[in-house]
Amino acid sequence: KNEVEQSPQNLTAQEGEFITINCSYSVGISALHWLQQHPGGGIVSLFMLSSGKKKHGRLIATINIQEKHSSLHITASHPRDSAVYICAVNNFGNEKLTFGTGTRLTIIP
Amino acid sequence: KAGVTQTPRYLIKTRGQQVTLSCSPISGHRSVSWYQQTPGQGLQFLFEYFSETQRNKGNFPGRFSGRQFSNSRSEMNVSTLELGDSALYLCASSLAAPQETQYFGPGTRLLVL
């Protein structure tokens, strides 16, 4: 079992829909990251959080430390949101980043 | 501020050769981490450097090594290349620690023939 599990693996939605991507982890962590990767490889950090909730534009990230679970929400989705979204955690103690396998999101106009 | 830069962007090598990849972090960032991304294994942590010292290492063979210079620029080296080393190699920098926001470079795409 992977230390970081994401669901769903693939998600296709219509423009305007509300999107939720989930991340569960099994280890103690000091921080959790949500990353976005577009075709071509470039990775952008969307959020880094260790508790609570963060919002940036149409994106919202939440984390529940007790349940070892985080969600990434996209409101009013747009075709430019189409990308792979990756959850990663810093293992508590050694701080190594462990990555989920990613969620491929496709937004259809 | 300039972002993280990596050189070269693309590289083709043959089995048995060695390769050196370079990463220049954002000015003022002292922590540099390296990652390997393959279709089969996804993203995996290679190592992290801070102030010219390797602070953490992932589960990769000794053929993978790295170093960091006094200006925080970092290099990674892979010796005796194998076909399975074909991957996208990404570096990321942060101010001082990997549990801070990571800023990724565009990556070096390595193909081993």
Side-chain angles (χ1 to χ4, degrees):
Chain A
K1 188 179 188 292
N2 291 334
E3 292 181 348
V4 182
E5 299 272 359
Q6 284 186 240
S7 64
Q9 285 190 304
N10 294 283
L11 179 56
T12 300
Q14 293 289 132
E15 183 174 355
E17 286 189 38
F18 181 82
I19 303 299
T20 295
I21 299 170
N22 295 299
C23 175
S24 297
Y25 52 93
S26 57
V27 295
I29 69 169
S30 56
L32 182 142
H33 305 255
W34 280 103
L35 310 172
Q36 180 193 56
Q37 186 171 33
H38 280 283
I43 293 180
V44 173
S45 177
L46 299 174
F47 296 102
M48 188 278 297
L49 61 168
S50 54
S51 65
K53 177 179 173 178
K54 286 189 176 180
K55 185 176 189 290
H56 184 252
R58 296 180 293 107
L59 273 59
I60 302 165
T62 64
I63 187 168
N64 185 318
I65 297 295
Q66 286 72 31
E67 294 186 4
K68 294 188 174 179
H69 181 268
S70 176
S71 293
L72 176 68
H73 306 286
I74 304 175
T75 62
S77 59
H78 190 276
R80 65 175 174 266
D81 297 327
S82 298
V84 176
Y85 292 84
I86 302 167
C87 171
V89 300
N90 290 103
N91 291 38
F92 185 79
N94 63 35
E95 309 308 334
K96 294 180 186 180
L97 261 184
T98 303
F99 297 86
T101 53
T103 295
R104 185 174 301 275
L105 174 66
T106 303
I107 304 298
I108 299 170
Chain B
K1 249 187 194 178
V4 178
T5 58
Q6 289 187 245
T7 57
R9 292 291 311 277
Y10 303 93
L11 205 48
I12 300 175
K13 292 284 188 179
T14 56
R15 278 182 301 173
Q17 288 187 308
Q18 76 163 22
V19 67
T20 299
L21 312 181
S22 180
C23 172
S24 291
I26 291 173
S27 177
H29 285 194
R30 296 168 65 193
S31 170
V32 175
S33 299
W34 288 90
Y35 305 96
Q36 182 197 63
Q37 186 177 35
T38 60
Q41 298 296 319
L43 273 160
Q44 296 184 87
F45 169 76
L46 278 158
F47 24 65
E48 187 244 345
Y49 286 88
F50 177 82
S51 290
E52 302 179 66
T53 300
Q54 186 181 89
R55 273 200 300 207
N56 268 309
K57 191 177 192 306
N59 298 325
F60 280 81
R63 300 185 297 107
F64 292 81
S65 63
R67 58 178 175 167
Q68 187 180 35
F69 302 94
S70 58
N71 62 357
S72 295
R73 189 177 71 84
S74 178
E75 289 181 346
M76 68 162 280
N77 185 278
V78 188
S79 63
T80 319
L81 284 165
E82 301 178 359
L83 296 180
D85 297 332
S86 295
L88 179 67
Y89 290 89
L90 293 150
C91 83
S93 73
S94 60
L95 277 170
Q99 62 268 46
E100 300 165 344
T101 297
Q102 298 265 296
Y103 295 85
F104 285 80
T108 295
R109 196 167 292 278
L110 172 66
L111 177 62
V112 182
L113 301 175

Coordinates of all heavy atoms in Angstrom, one line a residue, chain B residues 5-95:
Chain B
T5 N 16.1 27.3 -12.6 CA 16.5 26.9 -14.0 C 17.3 25.6 -13.9 O 18.0 25.3 -13.0 CB 17.4 28.0 -14.7 OG1 18.5 28.2 -13.8 CG2 16.6 29.3 -14.8
Q6 N 17.1 24.8 -15.0 CA 17.8 23.5 -15.1 C 18.4 23.4 -16.5 O 17.8 23.8 -17.5 CB 16.8 22.4 -14.9 CG 16.3 22.2 -13.5 CD 15.5 21.0 -13.3 OE1 14.3 21.0 -13.0 NE2 16.1 19.8 -13.4
T7 N 19.6 22.9 -16.5 CA 20.3 22.6 -17.8 C 20.9 21.3 -17.8 O 21.4 20.8 -16.7 CB 21.3 23.7 -18.1 OG1 22.3 23.7 -17.0 CG2 20.7 25.1 -18.3
P8 N 21.0 20.6 -18.9 CA 20.3 20.9 -20.1 C 18.8 20.6 -20.0 O 18.4 20.0 -19.0 CB 20.9 20.1 -21.2 CG 21.4 18.8 -20.4 CD 21.7 19.3 -19.0
R9 N 18.0 20.9 -20.9 CA 16.6 20.6 -20.9 C 16.3 19.2 -21.4 O 15.4 18.5 -21.0 CB 15.7 21.6 -21.7 CG 15.7 23.0 -21.1 CD 14.9 23.0 -19.7 NE 13.6 22.4 -19.9 CZ 12.6 23.0 -20.4 NH1 12.6 24.2 -20.8 NH2 11.4 22.3 -20.4
Y10 N 17.1 18.8 -22.4 CA 17.0 17.4 -23.0 C 18.4 16.8 -23.2 O 19.3 17.6 -23.4 CB 16.3 17.5 -24.4 CG 14.9 18.2 -24.3 CD1 14.8 19.6 -24.5 CD2 13.8 17.5 -24.0 CE1 13.6 20.2 -24.5 CE2 12.5 18.1 -24.0 CZ 12.4 19.4 -24.2 OH 11.2 20.0 -24.1
L11 N 18.4 15.5 -23.0 CA 19.7 14.9 -23.1 C 19.5 13.4 -23.6 O 18.6 12.7 -23.1 CB 20.3 14.8 -21.7 CG 21.8 14.8 -21.5 CD1 22.5 15.7 -22.3 CD2 22.0 15.0 -20.0
I12 N 20.3 13.0 -24.5 CA 20.3 11.6 -24.9 C 21.6 11.0 -24.7 O 22.7 11.6 -25.1 CB 19.9 11.5 -26.5 CG1 18.5 12.1 -26.7 CG2 20.0 10.0 -26.9 CD1 18.2 12.1 -28.2
K13 N 21.7 9.9 -24.0 CA 22.9 9.2 -23.6 C 22.7 7.7 -24.0 O 21.6 7.2 -24.2 CB 23.2 9.4 -22.2 CG 23.6 10.8 -21.7 CD 25.0 11.1 -22.2 CE 25.4 12.4 -21.6 NZ 26.8 12.8 -22.0
T14 N 23.8 7.0 -24.0 CA 23.8 5.6 -24.2 C 24.2 4.9 -22.9 O 24.8 5.4 -22.0 CB 24.7 5.1 -25.3 OG1 26.0 5.6 -25.0 CG2 24.3 5.7 -26.6
R15 N 23.7 3.6 -22.8 CA 24.0 2.8 -21.6 C 25.5 2.8 -21.2 O 26.3 2.7 -22.1 CB 23.6 1.4 -21.8 CG 22.1 1.2 -21.5 CD 21.7 -0.3 -21.7 NE 22.0 -0.8 -23.0 CZ 22.0 -2.1 -23.4 NH1 21.6 -3.0 -22.6 NH2 22.3 -2.4 -24.6
G16 N 25.8 2.9 -20.0 CA 27.2 2.9 -19.5 C 27.8 4.3 -19.4 O 28.8 4.5 -18.7
Q17 N 27.2 5.3 -20.1 CA 27.8 6.6 -20.0 C 27.4 7.2 -18.6 O 26.6 6.7 -17.8 CB 27.3 7.5 -21.1 CG 27.9 7.2 -22.4 CD 27.4 8.2 -23.5 OE1 26.2 8.5 -23.7 NE2 28.4 8.8 -24.2
Q18 N 27.9 8.4 -18.3 CA 27.5 9.2 -17.2 C 27.0 10.5 -17.6 O 27.2 11.0 -18.7 CB 28.7 9.3 -16.2 CG 29.7 10.4 -16.6 CD 30.5 10.8 -15.4 OE1 30.7 10.1 -14.4 NE2 31.1 12.0 -15.5
V19 N 26.2 11.1 -16.7 CA 25.6 12.4 -17.0 C 25.6 13.3 -15.8 O 25.5 12.8 -14.7 CB 24.1 12.2 -17.5 CG1 23.2 11.6 -16.4 CG2 23.5 13.4 -18.1
T20 N 25.7 14.6 -16.1 CA 25.6 15.6 -15.0 C 24.5 16.6 -15.3 O 24.5 17.2 -16.5 CB 27.0 16.3 -14.8 OG1 28.0 15.4 -14.5 CG2 26.8 17.4 -13.7
L21 N 23.6 16.8 -14.4 CA 22.5 17.8 -14.6 C 22.7 18.9 -13.6 O 23.2 18.7 -12.5 CB 21.2 17.1 -14.3 CG 20.9 15.8 -15.0 CD1 19.5 15.2 -14.7 CD2 21.1 15.9 -16.5
S22 N 22.3 20.1 -14.0 CA 22.6 21.3 -13.2 C 21.2 22.0 -12.8 O 20.3 22.0 -13.6 CB 23.5 22.3 -14.0 OG 23.7 23.4 -13.2
C23 N 21.2 22.6 -11.7 CA 20.0 23.3 -11.2 C 20.5 24.6 -10.5 O 21.3 24.5 -9.6 CB 19.3 22.4 -10.2 SG 17.9 23.2 -9.3
S24 N 19.9 25.7 -10.9 CA 20.1 26.9 -10.2 C 18.9 27.4 -9.5 O 17.8 27.6 -10.2 CB 20.5 28.0 -11.3 OG 21.8 27.7 -11.8
P25 N 18.9 27.5 -8.2 CA 17.7 27.8 -7.4 C 17.3 29.3 -7.5 O 18.1 30.1 -8.1 CB 18.1 27.4 -6.0 CG 19.5 27.6 -6.0 CD 20.1 27.3 -7.3
I26 N 16.2 29.6 -7.0 CA 15.8 31.0 -6.9 C 16.8 31.7 -6.0 O 17.2 31.1 -5.0 CB 14.3 31.1 -6.4 CG1 13.4 30.6 -7.5 CG2 14.0 32.5 -5.9 CD1 11.9 30.5 -7.0
S27 N 17.1 32.9 -6.3 CA 18.1 33.6 -5.5 C 17.6 33.7 -4.1 O 16.4 34.1 -3.8 CB 18.2 35.1 -6.1 OG 19.1 35.9 -5.3
G28 N 18.5 33.4 -3.1 CA 18.1 33.4 -1.7 C 17.7 32.1 -1.2 O 17.6 31.9 0.0
H29 N 17.3 31.2 -2.1 CA 16.9 29.8 -1.6 C 18.1 29.0 -1.4 O 19.1 28.9 -2.2 CB 16.0 29.1 -2.7 CG 14.6 29.7 -2.7 ND1 13.6 29.0 -3.4 CD2 14.1 30.8 -2.2 CE1 12.5 29.7 -3.3 NE2 12.8 30.8 -2.6
R30 N 18.1 28.3 -0.2 CA 19.3 27.5 0.1 C 19.1 26.0 0.1 O 20.0 25.2 0.2 CB 19.8 27.9 1.5 CG 20.3 29.4 1.5 CD 20.5 29.9 2.9 NE 21.6 29.2 3.6 CZ 21.8 29.3 4.9 NH1 21.0 30.0 5.7 NH2 22.8 28.7 5.5
S31 N 17.8 25.6 0.0 CA 17.5 24.2 0.0 C 17.2 23.8 -1.4 O 16.3 24.4 -2.1 CB 16.3 23.9 0.9 OG 15.8 22.6 0.7
V32 N 17.8 22.7 -1.9 CA 17.6 22.2 -3.3 C 17.3 20.7 -3.2 O 18.1 20.0 -2.6 CB 18.8 22.5 -4.2 CG1 18.5 21.8 -5.6 CG2 19.0 24.0 -4.4
S33 N 16.2 20.3 -3.8 CA 15.8 18.9 -3.8 C 15.8 18.4 -5.2 O 15.4 19.2 -6.1 CB 14.5 18.7 -3.1 OG 14.5 19.1 -1.8
W34 N 16.1 17.2 -5.4 CA 16.0 16.5 -6.7 C 15.0 15.4 -6.7 O 14.9 14.7 -5.7 CB 17.4 16.0 -7.1 CG 18.4 17.0 -7.4 CD1 19.3 17.6 -6.6 CD2 18.7 17.5 -8.8 NE1 20.1 18.5 -7.3 CE2 19.8 18.4 -8.6 CE3 18.2 17.3 -10.0 CZ2 20.3 19.1 -9.7 CZ3 18.7 18.0 -11.1 CH2 19.8 18.9 -10.9
Y35 N 14.3 15.3 -7.8 CA 13.3 14.2 -8.0 C 13.4 13.6 -9.3 O 13.8 14.2 -10.3 CB 11.9 14.8 -7.8 CG 11.7 15.6 -6.6 CD1 11.8 17.0 -6.5 CD2 11.3 15.0 -5.4 CE1 11.7 17.7 -5.4 CE2 11.2 15.7 -4.2 CZ 11.4 17.1 -4.2 OH 11.2 17.8 -3.0
Q36 N 13.0 12.3 -9.4 CA 12.9 11.6 -10.6 C 11.5 11.3 -10.9 O 10.7 10.9 -10.0 CB 13.7 10.3 -10.5 CG 13.7 9.5 -11.8 CD 14.1 8.0 -11.6 OE1 13.4 7.3 -10.9 NE2 15.2 7.6 -12.2
Q37 N 11.0 11.5 -12.2 CA 9.7 11.2 -12.5 C 9.7 10.2 -13.7 O 10.2 10.5 -14.8 CB 8.9 12.4 -12.9 CG 7.4 12.1 -13.1 CD 6.6 13.4 -13.4 OE1 7.0 14.3 -14.0 NE2 5.3 13.4 -12.9
T38 N 9.1 9.1 -13.6 CA 8.9 8.1 -14.6 C 7.4 7.7 -14.7 O 6.7 7.8 -13.7 CB 9.7 6.8 -14.4 OG1 9.3 6.2 -13.2 CG2 11.2 7.1 -14.3
P39 N 7.0 7.2 -15.9 CA 5.6 6.8 -16.0 C 5.3 5.6 -15.1 O 4.2 5.6 -14.6 CB 5.5 6.3 -17.5 CG 6.6 7.1 -18.2 CD 7.7 7.2 -17.2
G40 N 6.2 4.8 -14.8 CA 5.9 3.6 -14.0 C 5.9 3.9 -12.5 O 5.1 3.4 -11.7
Q41 N 6.9 4.7 -12.0 CA 7.1 4.9 -10.6 C 6.6 6.3 -10.1 O 6.6 6.6 -8.9 CB 8.6 4.8 -10.3 CG 9.2 3.4 -10.5 CD 8.5 2.4 -9.7 OE1 8.3 2.6 -8.5 NE2 8.3 1.2 -10.3
G42 N 6.2 7.1 -11.1 CA 5.8 8.5 -10.7 C 6.9 9.3 -10.2 O 8.1 9.1 -10.6
L43 N 6.6 10.2 -9.3 CA 7.7 11.1 -8.7 C 8.3 10.5 -7.5 O 7.6 10.0 -6.6 CB 7.0 12.5 -8.3 CG 6.9 13.5 -9.4 CD1 5.9 14.6 -9.0 CD2 8.3 14.2 -9.6
Q44 N 9.6 10.5 -7.5 CA 10.4 9.9 -6.4 C 11.5 10.9 -5.9 O 12.1 11.5 -6.8 CB 11.0 8.6 -6.7 CG 10.0 7.5 -7.1 CD 10.6 6.2 -7.3 OE1 10.9 5.4 -6.4 NE2 11.0 5.9 -8.6
F45 N 11.6 11.0 -4.6 CA 12.7 11.8 -4.1 C 14.0 11.2 -4.2 O 14.3 10.0 -3.9 CB 12.3 12.0 -2.6 CG 13.4 12.7 -1.8 CD1 13.6 14.1 -1.8 CD2 14.2 12.0 -0.9 CE1 14.6 14.7 -1.1 CE2 15.2 12.5 -0.1 CZ 15.4 13.9 -0.2
L46 N 15.0 12.0 -4.7 CA 16.4 11.6 -4.9 C 17.2 12.0 -3.7 O 17.8 11.2 -3.0 CB 17.0 12.1 -6.2 CG 16.6 11.3 -7.4 CD1 16.8 12.2 -8.7 CD2 17.5 10.1 -7.5
F47 N 17.4 13.3 -3.5 CA 18.1 13.9 -2.4 C 17.8 15.4 -2.2 O 17.3 16.0 -3.1 CB 19.7 13.7 -2.5 CG 20.2 13.5 -3.9 CD1 20.2 14.5 -4.8 CD2 20.8 12.3 -4.2 CE1 20.7 14.3 -6.1 CE2 21.3 12.1 -5.5 CZ 21.3 13.1 -6.4
E48 N 18.3 15.9 -1.1 CA 18.1 17.3 -0.7 C 19.4 17.8 -0.2 O 20.0 17.2 0.6 CB 16.9 17.5 0.3 CG 16.6 18.9 0.6 CD 16.9 19.4 2.0 OE1 17.0 18.5 2.9 OE2 16.9 20.6 2.2
Y49 N 19.7 19.0 -0.6 CA 20.9 19.7 -0.1 C 20.6 21.0 0.5 O 19.6 21.7 0.1 CB 21.9 19.9 -1.3 CG 22.5 18.7 -1.8 CD1 21.9 17.9 -2.7 CD2 23.8 18.3 -1.2 CE1 22.5 16.7 -3.1 CE2 24.4 17.1 -1.6 CZ 23.7 16.3 -2.6 OH 24.3 15.1 -3.0
F50 N 21.4 21.3 1.5 CA 21.2 22.6 2.2 C 22.6 23.0 2.7 O 23.3 22.2 3.3 CB 20.3 22.5 3.4 CG 20.2 23.8 4.2 CD1 19.3 24.8 3.8 CD2 20.9 24.0 5.3 CE1 19.2 26.0 4.5 CE2 20.8 25.1 6.1 CZ 19.9 26.1 5.6
S51 N 23.0 24.2 2.3 CA 24.3 24.7 2.7 C 25.4 23.7 2.4 O 26.3 23.4 3.2 CB 24.4 25.1 4.2 OG 23.6 26.2 4.5
E52 N 25.4 23.3 1.1 CA 26.5 22.4 0.6 C 26.5 21.0 1.2 O 27.4 20.2 1.0 CB 27.8 23.0 0.7 CG 27.9 24.4 0.0 CD 29.3 25.1 0.2 OE1 30.3 24.5 -0.4 OE2 29.4 26.1 0.8
T53 N 25.5 20.7 2.0 CA 25.5 19.4 2.7 C 24.2 18.6 2.3 O 23.1 19.2 2.2 CB 25.4 19.6 4.2 OG1 26.6 20.3 4.6 CG2 25.4 18.2 5.0
Q54 N 24.4 17.3 2.0 CA 23.2 16.5 1.7 C 22.5 16.2 3.0 O 23.1 15.5 3.9 CB 23.7 15.2 1.1 CG 22.5 14.3 0.6 CD 23.0 13.0 0.0 OE1 23.2 12.0 0.6 NE2 23.2 13.0 -1.3
R55 N 21.3 16.6 3.1 CA 20.5 16.4 4.4 C 19.7 15.2 4.3 O 19.4 14.6 5.4 CB 19.6 17.6 4.6 CG 20.2 18.7 5.4 CD 19.2 19.6 6.0 NE 18.2 20.3 5.1 CZ 17.6 21.4 5.4 NH1 17.9 22.0 6.5 NH2 16.8 21.9 4.5
N56 N 19.3 14.8 3.1 CA 18.4 13.6 3.0 C 18.7 12.9 1.7 O 19.1 13.6 0.7 CB 16.9 14.1 3.0 CG 16.3 14.1 4.4 OD1 16.4 13.1 5.1 ND2 15.7 15.2 4.7
K57 N 18.4 11.6 1.7 CA 18.6 10.8 0.5 C 17.5 9.9 0.3 O 17.1 9.3 1.3 CB 20.0 10.1 0.6 CG 20.4 9.4 -0.7 CD 21.8 8.8 -0.5 CE 22.4 8.4 -1.9 NZ 21.6 7.5 -2.7
G58 N 17.0 9.7 -0.9 CA 16.0 8.7 -1.2 C 16.6 7.3 -1.4 O 17.8 7.1 -1.2
N59 N 15.7 6.4 -1.8 CA 16.2 5.0 -2.0 C 16.6 4.8 -3.4 O 16.0 4.1 -4.2 CB 15.0 4.1 -1.7 CG 14.6 4.2 -0.2 OD1 15.4 4.4 0.7 ND2 13.3 4.1 0.0
F60 N 17.7 5.3 -3.8 CA 18.3 5.2 -5.1 C 19.7 4.6 -4.9 O 20.4 4.9 -3.9 CB 18.4 6.5 -5.9 CG 17.1 6.9 -6.5 CD1 16.1 7.5 -5.7 CD2 16.8 6.6 -7.8 CE1 14.8 7.8 -6.3 CE2 15.6 6.9 -8.4 CZ 14.6 7.5 -7.7
P61 N 20.2 3.9 -5.9 CA 21.6 3.3 -5.8 C 22.6 4.4 -5.8 O 22.4 5.5 -6.2 CB 21.7 2.4 -7.1 CG 20.6 2.9 -8.0 CD 19.5 3.4 -7.2
G62 N 23.8 4.0 -5.4 CA 24.9 4.9 -5.3 C 25.4 5.5 -6.6 O 26.2 6.5 -6.6
R63 N 24.9 5.0 -7.7 CA 25.2 5.6 -9.0 C 24.6 7.0 -9.1 O 25.1 7.8 -9.9 CB 24.6 4.8 -10.2 CG 25.0 3.4 -10.3 CD 24.5 2.7 -11.5 NE 23.0 2.6 -11.5 CZ 22.2 3.3 -12.3 NH1 22.7 4.2 -13.1 NH2 20.9 3.1 -12.2
F64 N 23.7 7.3 -8.3 CA 23.1 8.7 -8.2 C 23.7 9.5 -7.1 O 23.8 9.0 -6.0 CB 21.6 8.6 -8.0 CG 20.8 8.0 -9.1 CD1 20.7 6.6 -9.3 CD2 20.1 8.8 -10.0 CE1 20.0 6.0 -10.3 CE2 19.4 8.2 -11.0 CZ 19.3 6.9 -11.2
S65 N 24.3 10.6 -7.5 CA 25.0 11.4 -6.5 C 24.7 12.9 -6.8 O 24.2 13.2 -7.9 CB 26.5 11.1 -6.5 OG 27.1 11.5 -7.7
G66 N 25.0 13.7 -5.9 CA 24.8 15.1 -6.1 C 25.8 16.0 -5.3 O 26.6 15.4 -4.5
R67 N 25.7 17.2 -5.5 CA 26.4 18.2 -4.7 C 25.8 19.5 -4.8 O 25.1 19.8 -5.7 CB 27.9 18.2 -5.1 CG 28.2 18.6 -6.5 CD 29.7 18.7 -6.7 NE 30.0 18.9 -8.1 CZ 31.2 19.3 -8.5 NH1 32.2 19.4 -7.7 NH2 31.5 19.5 -9.8
Q68 N 26.2 20.4 -3.8 CA 25.7 21.8 -3.9 C 26.9 22.7 -3.6 O 27.8 22.4 -2.8 CB 24.6 22.0 -2.8 CG 24.0 23.4 -2.9 CD 22.9 23.6 -1.8 OE1 23.1 23.1 -0.6 NE2 21.9 24.3 -2.1
F69 N 26.9 23.8 -4.4 CA 28.0 24.7 -4.3 C 27.6 25.9 -3.3 O 26.5 26.0 -2.9 CB 28.3 25.3 -5.7 CG 28.6 24.2 -6.7 CD1 27.7 23.6 -7.5 CD2 29.9 23.7 -6.8 CE1 28.0 22.6 -8.4 CE2 30.3 22.7 -7.7 CZ 29.3 22.2 -8.5
S70 N 28.6 26.7 -3.0 CA 28.4 27.7 -2.1 C 27.4 28.8 -2.5 O 26.8 29.4 -1.7 CB 29.8 28.4 -1.8 OG 30.3 29.0 -2.9
N71 N 27.1 28.9 -3.8 CA 26.1 29.8 -4.3 C 24.7 29.1 -4.4 O 23.8 29.7 -4.9 CB 26.5 30.4 -5.6 CG 26.6 29.3 -6.7 OD1 26.4 28.1 -6.4 ND2 26.9 29.7 -7.9
S72 N 24.6 27.9 -3.8 CA 23.4 27.1 -3.7 C 23.0 26.4 -5.0 O 22.1 25.5 -5.0 CB 22.1 27.9 -3.3 OG 22.3 28.4 -1.9
R73 N 23.8 26.7 -6.1 CA 23.5 25.9 -7.3 C 23.9 24.4 -7.0 O 24.7 24.1 -6.1 CB 24.4 26.4 -8.4 CG 24.2 25.8 -9.8 CD 25.0 26.4 -10.9 NE 26.4 26.0 -10.7 CZ 26.9 24.9 -11.2 NH1 26.2 24.0 -11.9 NH2 28.2 24.6 -11.1
S74 N 23.2 23.5 -7.7 CA 23.3 22.1 -7.4 C 23.5 21.3 -8.7 O 23.0 21.7 -9.7 CB 22.1 21.6 -6.6 OG 22.3 20.2 -6.3
E75 N 24.2 20.2 -8.6 CA 24.4 19.3 -9.7 C 24.0 17.9 -9.2 O 24.2 17.6 -8.0 CB 25.8 19.3 -10.2 CG 26.2 20.5 -11.0 CD 27.7 20.4 -11.5 OE1 28.4 19.5 -11.0 OE2 28.0 21.3 -12.3
M76 N 23.5 17.1 -10.1 CA 23.4 15.7 -9.8 C 24.0 14.9 -10.9 O 24.1 15.3 -12.1 CB 21.9 15.2 -9.6 CG 21.0 15.3 -10.8 SD 19.6 14.3 -10.6 CE 20.2 12.6 -10.9
N77 N 24.6 13.8 -10.5 CA 25.4 13.0 -11.5 C 24.8 11.5 -11.4 O 24.5 11.0 -10.3 CB 26.8 13.0 -11.1 CG 27.7 12.2 -12.0 OD1 27.8 11.0 -11.9 ND2 28.3 12.9 -12.9
V78 N 24.7 11.0 -12.6 CA 24.3 9.5 -12.7 C 25.4 8.8 -13.4 O 25.7 9.2 -14.6 CB 23.0 9.3 -13.4 CG1 22.5 7.9 -13.2 CG2 21.9 10.2 -12.8
S79 N 26.0 7.9 -12.8 CA 27.1 7.1 -13.5 C 26.6 5.8 -14.0 O 25.5 5.3 -13.6 CB 28.3 6.9 -12.6 OG 27.8 6.1 -11.5
T80 N 27.3 5.2 -15.0 CA 26.9 3.9 -15.5 C 25.4 3.9 -15.8 O 24.7 3.1 -15.3 CB 27.3 2.8 -14.6 OG1 28.6 3.1 -14.0 CG2 27.4 1.5 -15.4
L81 N 25.0 4.7 -16.7 CA 23.6 4.8 -17.0 C 23.0 3.5 -17.5 O 23.6 2.7 -18.2 CB 23.4 5.9 -18.1 CG 23.5 7.3 -17.7 CD1 23.6 8.2 -18.9 CD2 22.3 7.7 -16.8
E82 N 21.7 3.3 -17.0 CA 20.9 2.1 -17.4 C 19.7 2.7 -18.1 O 19.3 3.8 -18.0 CB 20.5 1.3 -16.2 CG 21.7 0.8 -15.4 CD 21.3 0.1 -14.1 OE1 20.0 0.0 -13.9 OE2 22.2 -0.4 -13.4
L83 N 19.1 1.7 -18.9 CA 17.9 2.1 -19.7 C 16.8 2.7 -18.7 O 16.1 3.6 -19.1 CB 17.3 0.9 -20.4 CG 18.2 0.4 -21.5 CD1 17.5 -0.8 -22.2 CD2 18.5 1.4 -22.6
G84 N 16.7 2.1 -17.6 CA 15.7 2.5 -16.6 C 15.9 3.9 -16.0 O 15.0 4.4 -15.3
D85 N 17.0 4.5 -16.3 CA 17.3 5.9 -15.8 C 16.6 6.9 -16.6 O 16.6 8.1 -16.3 CB 18.8 6.1 -15.7 CG 19.5 5.2 -14.7 OD1 18.9 4.7 -13.8 OD2 20.7 4.9 -15.0
S86 N 16.1 6.5 -17.8 CA 15.3 7.4 -18.6 C 14.2 8.0 -17.8 O 13.3 7.3 -17.3 CB 14.8 6.7 -19.9 OG 15.9 6.3 -20.7
A87 N 14.1 9.3 -17.7 CA 13.1 9.9 -16.9 C 13.2 11.4 -17.0 O 14.1 12.0 -17.7 CB 13.4 9.6 -15.4
L88 N 12.3 12.1 -16.4 CA 12.3 13.5 -16.2 C 12.9 13.8 -14.8 O 12.4 13.3 -13.8 CB 10.9 14.1 -16.3 CG 10.8 15.6 -16.1 CD1 11.4 16.4 -17.3 CD2 9.3 16.1 -16.0
Y89 N 14.0 14.6 -14.8 CA 14.6 14.9 -13.5 C 14.3 16.3 -13.2 O 14.6 17.3 -13.9 CB 16.1 14.7 -13.6 CG 16.5 13.2 -13.7 CD1 16.5 12.6 -14.9 CD2 16.6 12.4 -12.6 CE1 16.8 11.2 -15.0 CE2 16.9 11.1 -12.6 CZ 16.9 10.5 -13.9 OH 17.2 9.1 -13.9
L90 N 13.7 16.5 -12.0 CA 13.2 17.8 -11.6 C 14.0 18.2 -10.4 O 14.3 17.4 -9.5 CB 11.7 17.8 -11.2 CG 10.8 17.5 -12.4 CD1 9.5 16.8 -12.0 CD2 10.4 18.8 -13.0
C91 N 14.3 19.5 -10.3 CA 14.8 20.0 -9.1 C 13.9 21.1 -8.6 O 13.1 21.7 -9.3 CB 16.2 20.6 -9.2 SG 16.4 22.2 -9.8
A92 N 13.9 21.3 -7.3 CA 13.0 22.3 -6.6 C 13.8 23.0 -5.6 O 14.6 22.4 -4.9 CB 11.8 21.6 -6.1
S93 N 13.5 24.3 -5.4 CA 14.2 25.0 -4.3 C 13.2 25.6 -3.3 O 12.0 25.8 -3.7 CB 15.1 26.1 -4.9 OG 14.3 27.2 -5.4
S94 N 13.6 25.8 -2.1 CA 12.9 26.5 -1.1 C 13.8 27.3 -0.3 O 15.0 27.1 -0.3 CB 12.0 25.5 -0.3 OG 12.9 24.6 0.4
L95 N 13.3 28.2 0.6 CA 14.1 29.0 1.3 C 15.1 28.3 2.2 O 16.3 28.5 2.1 CB 13.3 30.0 2.2 CG 12.7 31.2 1.6 CD1 11.7 31.9 2.5 CD2 13.8 32.2 1.2

